[in-house]
Amino acid sequence: MHRILLLPGDGIGPEVVAEARRVLGRAGERFGLDLTFEEGLIGGAALDATGSPLPEETLERARSCRAVLLGAVGGPKWDALPVDVRPEKGLLRIRKELGLFANLRPATVFPALVGASTLRPEVVRGIDLLVVRELTGGIYFGEPRGREQRDGRRRAFNAMVYDEEEIARIARVAFRAAAGRRGHLTHVHKANVLEVSQLWVEVVSEVAREFPEVELAHQLVDSCAMLLVREPRRFDVLLTGNLFGDILSDEAAMITGSLGMLPSASLGESGVGLFEPVHGSAPDLAGRDEANPLATILSGAMLLEHSLGAPEAAGAVRQAVARVLEAGARTRDLLLPGEERPVLGCRAMGEQVLRELPA
Ligand code: NAD
């Protein structure tokens, strides 16, 4: 039996998680996976009910489950609160407590949505890449850090620090992902300037010997940023540190054009994975049955693949999403300017995906 913890959170979170749950449940039945679902509190919903954005009970259940599927947290109701009791703190803390050091963000263009990108269709068609970003080290966490006054001037500093073990473990995640895809891994770095990047090149090349089936290339981050908009189809898996990954994963995502379509996974040493859409809680849409549930449904597909080792079930969910889009189903956010089509609500879109899953 696989226990899955659902953390709907705030805003549109509960609506999109409900649809992903239905799809996961159905995929579980079809593919003989014994799934059970539990629900917990996080974010503003948890703050209101318990005074904490991440109650101990939620954390304990997350630790004992196979995987966590999260909606989104935050909203105007809690914006005036001090930073350490804001809903977002719940999300940061659960990532830290579960030791989630690897962030996986696919950027895939579904054929039916080629027109949603700001890039030309011939550049965009067929994009299917995965950014693997180190999430718990690098310049966002390095010491020393701070501000000071020196010679009458304000000064500030941060340190980019990685040790070889931190690099090797994220590299293994990326190599494994590449081995299950098209077998190409591009390591993105700035080794012409940074000693930290030189160590990354060394360690990633060493880890590559464990994965002879994967072809490794090293690419400077500046030229990678250019190639991503010029020739994005050339990439399969991109592996990079926290800072470059933060920027490149957003760049890659925007090539695809639709925030409501982007899933993500965070994996760690504990074995519990956290899966969530890239978008936020969209308070403007909350409670209106207008949100696009596909990013969360596709996060569910990642859960099937990475936490339950069920790539066929994951593939079936992705194909169901592709077919629904091909048939013309759209939530409002997916309409192109001037496009006239009937618009589906969140629940109806979930229903369409359910119908397309194999019988
Ligand atoms: P957002 O992603 O919530 O919304 C940005 C825009 O995209 C809005 O116009 C929204 O309507 C639209 N949108 C987002 N998801 C959509 C979906 N599934 N279907 C249709 N349209 C969708 O970002 P924001 O407005 O900057 O932030 C709103 C709240 O969400 C804030 O409180 C923020 O802190 C929080 N937030 C949470 C997360 C998270 O939980 N991981 C991430 C980002 C923002």
Side-chain angles (χ1 to χ4, degrees):
M1 184 182 77
H2 301 296
R3 285 170 57 219
I4 298 186
L5 179 62
L6 304 172
L7 300 178
D10 308 317
I12 61 169
E15 298 165 53
V16 292
V17 167
E19 297 316 308
R21 175 194 182 140
R22 293 204 296 159
V23 169
L24 277 175
R26 183 72 60 84
E29 286 165 21
R30 296 285 189 267
F31 289 88
L33 306 164
D34 186 8
L35 307 183
T36 63
F37 297 98
E38 302 174 17
E39 272 202 26
L41 289 169
I42 195 167
L47 259 175
D48 289 352
T50 71
S52 158
L54 182 68
E56 269 321 297
E57 193 200 336
T58 299
L59 192 54
E60 281 316 307
R61 282 165 65 188
R63 286 202 179 102
S64 67
C65 276
R66 193 78 199 89
V68 180
L69 183 70
L70 187 132
V73 299
K77 181 177 175 193
W78 304 281
D79 277 351
L81 292 173
V83 174
D84 55 330
V85 288
R86 292 268 290 265
E88 293 80 357
K89 198 74 187 172
L91 191 51
L92 294 176
R93 190 154 166 246
I94 195 170
R95 287 181 183 146
K96 183 162 185 281
E97 295 286 339
L98 295 177
L100 304 173
F101 65 83
N103 185 233
L104 277 60
R105 294 246 312 245
T108 309
V109 174
F110 288 90
L113 297 183
V114 161
S117 174
T118 50
L119 300 183
R120 288 199 308 271
E122 65 269 27
V123 177
V124 169
R125 196 169 282 116
I127 292 177
D128 179 12
L129 65 87
L130 174 70
V131 179
V132 178
R133 165 189 171 194
E134 203 288 328
L135 207 54
T136 54
I139 197 160
Y140 295 166
F141 298 95
E143 299 283 347
R145 62 188 300 155
R147 283 173 67 122
E148 62 187 16
Q149 197 82 14
R150 196 183 276 189
D151 304 329
R153 292 183 194 166
R154 286 169 299 168
R155 219 171 149 261
F157 49 91
N158 292 90
M160 188 186 272
V161 185
Y162 274 110
D163 75 36
E164 58 181 314
E165 199 35 55
E166 287 173 292
I167 302 168
R169 68 182 183 175
I170 185 82
R172 288 195 182 94
V173 171
F175 275 105
R176 274 196 291 274
R181 292 171 47 101
R182 300 194 298 282
H184 295 280
L185 177 64
T186 307
H187 163 235
V188 182
H189 64 91
K190 189 73 184 172
N192 53 349
V193 180
L194 300 174
E195 284 80 359
V196 175
S197 282
Q198 289 159 14
L199 182 63
W200 271 75
V201 169
E202 259 171 62
V203 174
V204 172
S205 302
E206 287 158 18
V207 173
R209 291 186 211 125
E210 299 167 26
F211 299 88
E213 71 277 31
V214 175
E215 192 185 315
L216 170 66
H218 299 280
Q219 178 90 49
L220 284 166
V221 62
D222 39 358
S223 64
C224 179
M226 290 197 284
L227 285 166
L228 264 177
V229 285
R230 200 186 144 103
E231 220 186 311
R233 268 186 314 225
R234 69 188 276 145
F235 295 115
D236 180 9
V237 177
L238 292 166
L239 161 66
T240 189
N242 206 344
L243 172 64
F244 302 153
D246 192 3
I247 300 163
L248 292 180
S249 57
D250 273 6
E251 187 193 356
M254 275 305 104
I255 293 170
T256 71
S258 319
L259 189 56
M261 294 296 300
L262 298 168
S264 80
S266 301
L267 310 175
E269 275 166 345
S270 72
V272 184
L274 177 81
F275 301 83
E276 55 182 319
V278 168
H279 63 71
S281 60
D284 50 328
L285 301 182
R288 301 162 61 112
D289 190 31
E290 284 185 20
N292 180 353
L294 296 178
T296 314
I297 289 172
L298 292 167
S299 301
M302 295 188 84
L303 184 157
L304 291 167
E305 181 175 349
H306 295 282
S307 278
L308 304 188
E312 300 84 13
V317 171
R318 289 189 192 109
Q319 275 163 28
V321 169
R323 275 200 293 274
V324 160
L325 295 170
E326 214 58 56
R330 301 285 188 272
T331 41
R332 189 174 303 285
D333 58 302
L334 296 178
L335 286 187
L336 301 179
E339 195 176 28
E340 304 233 349
R341 289 178 190 261
V343 167
L344 295 187
C346 183
R347 181 134 183 110
M349 184 57 114
E351 195 67 44
Q352 295 288 324
V353 177
L354 277 181
R355 278 201 205 132
E356 287 294 340
L357 278 173

